[in-house]
Amino acid sequence: MSKRKRYLIAGNWKMNISSSDARELVVDIAGKVGKVPKVDVLICPPFTSIPEVKNSLSSLAGAESIFLGAQNFYPEKNGAYTGEISAIMLRELGVSHVIIGHSERRTLFGEDDGLLNKKVLYALGTNLIPILCVGETFEQRKNGREVQVIAGQLKSGLRGIFQTEAKKLVIAYEPVWAIGTGETAVPEVVQKMHLSIRELLRELFGPKTAASIKILYGGSMKADNCKSLLQENDIDGGLIGGASLQATSFADIIKIANELSE
Ligand code: PGA
């Protein structure tokens, strides 16, 4: 089956893999993956491992389609923001993508829709590709509110974005109950949610732009369940936590995505 756009397979290392272990993992991933001309790969290490990942990638032949991402930033140019990192600092390190609004940021660090919207706008303004994460809790799904919750998160997160900028966006649908739990949503359920996201993007930005925006799935995606997920029409890749910490499992997902593109 040939998909209409390139898959994006993104690894979110979260607060794992210190800079002393990063090179080994990156070299191992690249070695196991080999050539995957039809897939974009993204690695999002902790801030302190970014330089090591960048150096490792630049010394590897065939790693041109492996991009470097960050897991967070603060949407100001510079100033008195103790403990924060700016978008410009990330750009300087060769970072091209940034995760925004992961449910761990929303719940553990109290990031609200207003701040997340500011981050999305700021990322676009500094040429970072925002990966805006949305997802419902188990409770919200149980009450039949999942589509409404996701629509609310998207509308606030994407407020004020012009159509011309919107095609650079990436959206990640990550049901909170599936993150790090081993509990993956079944492909048909994910497809239904992705379709509702696509429809909302259509309303906001028109059909052409909506069709070009990548919508990733995240929540216990692994080598043994990624194929059926990636085969769905509106699933354009994955945002992968646990399975991106091991070279074999991450490389297997990338290879499966590449095969599906052929
Ligand atoms: P998981 O994490 O793959 O470990 O469920 C996904 C994420 O939180 O992005």
Side-chain angles (χ1 to χ4, degrees), residues 12 14 102 104 174 178-182 218-221 239-243:
N12 174 11
K14 307 193 180 183
H102 189 282
E104 286 148 19
E174 301 209 302
I179 296 177
T181 58
S220 302
M221 190 188 260
L239 180 55
I240 297 143

Side-chain angles (χ1 to χ4, degrees), residues 13-109:
W13 288 2
K14 307 193 180 183
M15 200 172 72
N16 297 294
I17 318 292
S18 64
S19 73
S20 57
D21 295 326
R23 169 171 285 270
E24 198 185 325
L25 181 54
V26 171
V27 170
D28 209 5
I29 291 167
K32 288 192 161 66
V33 164
K35 280 206 181 322
V36 283
K38 299 199 161 74
V39 178
D40 288 332
V41 178
L42 175 68
I43 296 178
C44 303
F47 293 132
T48 50
S49 299
I50 288 175
E52 191 57 48
V53 172
K54 182 178 193 292
N55 292 339
S56 310
L57 290 175
S58 47
S59 64
L60 287 170
E64 300 79 24
S65 58
I66 306 186
F67 298 95
L68 187 56
Q71 300 171 19
N72 188 27
F73 76 105
Y74 194 71
E76 289 293 343
K77 192 169 167 213
N78 51 28
Y81 303 100
T82 302
E84 295 297 333
I85 304 276
S86 78
I88 292 149
M89 291 169 183
L90 295 174
R91 293 286 302 144
E92 229 176 68
L93 293 179
V95 166
S96 56
H97 294 62
V98 65
I99 300 172
I100 296 176
H102 189 282
S103 66
E104 286 148 19
R105 300 291 325 164
R106 291 177 190 260
T107 54
L108 300 175
F109 303 99

Side-chain angles (χ1 to χ4, degrees), residues 106-172:
R106 291 177 190 260
T107 54
L108 300 175
F109 303 99
E111 296 196 3
D112 62 18
D113 285 330
L115 175 63
L116 300 178
N117 177 235
K118 196 170 170 196
K119 288 188 181 192
V120 173
L121 290 166
Y122 204 96
L124 289 169
T126 39
N127 269 330
L128 277 176
I129 298 173
I131 304 178
L132 176 65
C133 301
V134 294
E136 81 284 0
T137 62
F138 180 69
E139 203 61 24
Q140 289 164 333
R141 174 165 284 271
K142 211 174 70 185
N143 295 328
R145 295 185 52 236
E146 65 277 12
V147 172
Q148 192 190 334
V149 168
I150 302 307
Q153 291 174 347
L154 281 173
K155 279 184 191 154
S156 349
L158 302 178
R159 188 166 293 143
I161 293 172
F162 295 117
Q163 193 181 357
T164 44
E165 290 279 82
K167 52 178 176 297
K168 296 181 201 150
L169 292 168
V170 177
I171 306 294

Side-chain angles (χ1 to χ4, degrees), residues 198-219:
R198 185 88 63 204
E199 275 160 7
L200 188 85
L201 294 172
R202 251 180 233 141
E203 269 172 46
L204 294 174
F205 307 117
K208 200 163 159 228
T209 302
S212 70
I213 296 175
K214 286 182 184 165
I215 308 176
L216 314 183
Y217 169 74

